[in-house]
Structures are given as C-alpha cells and as structure tokens.
Amino acid sequence: MLQFCKENALLKTMSTLMDETQVTLNTVDSVEQFVADINGGRWDQVLHTVGTLRLPIEKLIDLYEQIVLEMIEMREVDMARALLRQTGPMQALKHENSERYLRLEHLASRPAFDPIMAYPGNTSKEKRRAAIAESLAVEVGVLPPSRLLALLSQALKWQKHTGQLHDGAYDLLRGAAAMPTVTHETFPTTLACLIRFGARSHPEVAAFSPDGQYLVSGSVDGFVEVWDYQTAQLRKDLQYQAQDQFMVHEDPVLATAFTRDGAILATGAQNGKIKVWRIQTGECVRRFERAHTGGVTCMQFSRDGSHLLSGSFDKTIRVHGLKSGKLLKEYKGHQSFVNCLTYTSDGNRIVSGGSDGTVRIWDARTTECLITFKPRRGCG
C-alpha cells in the first residue's frame, strides 16, 4: 500500500500510514541512479527522492551539510541559509552539535568560499559525496512496480483456481463477485464450424481447456493439435504450430486432460505412454513412459495440478506425480477397460466407470474400493 501511494503521488497518505504503522518504504527507482545523482551533485533530484524516505537523522545531517556547503561554494547564500534555518536535519544539528552548525553559518557569512575551511584535512567535495552516497545506498532498495495490483491479481487468480471465485466481474469494494446470471441450457441447433482431417487421419479425442481458450484434438496418427474453433484452422499464434512443430506421440492419442488454469495439457496414447505439455510453448515437461501396460483411455489432474489420474485398457487406475515423475498409487478392481474417471470436488474420492458394467467409488488416499454399483439383471 505504501508503494501504491508513492507511485500515485499520495505522499501525505503515505507519510500518515508510515507514522501509524511504523512501517517504512525506503525504495527508489534505481539505486545506481540514486548514487549517481549524489556523486554528480544533482541535489534537486536527490532531495526529491529523499523526501519520500525515512533515513537515520545522522545520515540526513551529513547530506544536508554537504548541500549547504555546495550552495555556499556556488554563492547561493540565500538558499544555503534557508536550508540551514528551515530544514529538520539542520535544526537537529543545531541542537545536537551547535559548533558544527555555527561553522556552516560562519562559512555562509564570509565574502568568499574557503575550500580549506569547508573541507579540512584530507577530504574533498568528491570524497564527501562518495561517502554520503555509499552511506545512503545501504538504506534504500528497489521493488518491482505496481506490487499491490500484482498481489491483488494473484489473490483473485488463486481464488478462481481453488473454486472460491466464479467467472464474472469482481467488485473490490464489496469484496464479492457478481452473481452469475441464471441461464437455461438448450441443446445446440447450429453447426459453428467443421474441422476436417486428412484421409489417413481422424481424431480419437477432443477437448476444450477450462477457460475455453484452447480446443485440442488427439489423432490416430499421434498428433496433438490446437485449433481456433471459430475459424476451424490451426492456431498459428502458437509459435511452434506456426513453424509446423507439433506435440506428438508415436501411437494414436486416446485421452487428454487440462489443469484447472489451462496452462498444462496431458495426453495419453494407445501404447500406454503419457506426455505432459506446456501448451503455450509446446514443450514436453514430463513423460511417463510406462504409465500403463495398455492404452490410456481417460485422465484428470488433481485440483492443485500436482497429480495426474489415469485409466486404461489394462483395467487399472493410477496416480502419477508430476514433480517426481513416478507412479504414486494404483487402484485395482475393474474387470475390464476403465472408460472414465473423475475426482470428487473435495479430492477425497475417485469415481470410475468401466466396460465391466460397474461404477466404482474409491478412497483416493487408501486406494480401497468403497462402493460398487452394478447394473440390474436384464438391463442393457
């Protein structure tokens, strides 16, 4: 909040917040430029910067003393006296070290500037500037711009990612999202577009990303392609596709799954392999070479995107770790192909359906099959 006030020139508000919270914000746009301004004697810029900082009084006294000396040297005596008599650091010097203060008053009253008196011993104007710059540089830092807005944006994205915030406008003042408009579902009646594949290829699976940004297809020839669903053309704004470089498997692609934010795509193939891609770049970030011993038929990411759940022709359900690249758990019980699966909303249960005609509910933690639903005799 202090940075926001500073960036928007709300200096009084910033000062009040610092007084009430005892939190300081000693930041500058560039430490190197701040040091260069001091070494170059650009005191107007230095004072403007220092005005928003909370610095130790002894360092401010050194800074203002040097500015007064240089004002006297340039015969800006009125300015020098104004700094001496009207600024906080110089008044603090007057009370703490009257002899040092009176020396500055004496220099200002002389008809000519005396550099020996101003810089006694082995000092000089340049050395004092360098010493002051080094002293003040350790008191300041640099922050990325607009951190408050960035933090708010990240918080809203996290709430949306965890399901606490629904799609739509968000009122920051009320702290609530706009209530979703109630709409009645209707079945589609108009063909929006038609994507045609080659004579020797056909899609085995297609899916939209959760945000609707990507339409992905997996084909019998192993290619994974991202489409513009409005034009029925490949997305050429993805650089890898524009260069005819595609996400690809060695065998037909049978299953796909997106993370909740739509940034990561998993694809499963008939040879039992699973690949995980960063869809924006087409980079394969993880391979599970022996995910299953049969074709991968269905997949779903866990809510946090750290695990990948998969079902297969080999009758098993497995959980794979994205970070470790290892098989974490296996659920056995289906007597035929696993055709579909999903996590419950709390992530504690897994629901699966198989070609054995059963729907099973599993304990996600223990892998125990809790309930099995079987069709009644004579059904189907």
Side-chain angles (χ1 to χ4, degrees), residues 15 36 38 74 77 83 124 148 153 177 206 224 226 282 294 296 331 349 353 358 372:
S15 179
I38 297 174
M74 293 186 293
V77 178
L83 289 171
S124 67
L148 177 61
S153 175
V224 179
V226 187
V296 181
Y331 306 78
R349 301 286 186 267
T358 66
T372 300

Side-chain angles (χ1 to χ4, degrees), residues 286 288 306-308 319-328:
R286 176 66 68 189
F288 298 96
S306 63
H307 299 155
L308 179 63
V319 176
H320 314 274
L322 269 294
K323 290 184 178 180
S324 66
K326 296 180 179 179
L327 173 65
L328 302 180

Side-chain angles (χ1 to χ4, degrees), residues 234-275:
L234 286 172
R235 289 276 297 266
K236 294 298 185 178
D237 58 321
L238 298 174
Q239 186 176 1
Y240 58 98
Q241 289 200 156
Q243 297 173 351
D244 290 330
Q245 298 173 358
F246 295 91
M247 299 176 284
V248 67
H249 279 264
E250 298 80 13
D251 277 45
V253 178
L254 306 181
T256 62
F258 280 96
T259 52
R260 286 174 61 85
D261 61 5
I264 300 296
L265 170 72
T267 54
Q270 188 169 294
N271 57 6
K273 295 182 180 180
I274 291 176
K275 295 183 180 182

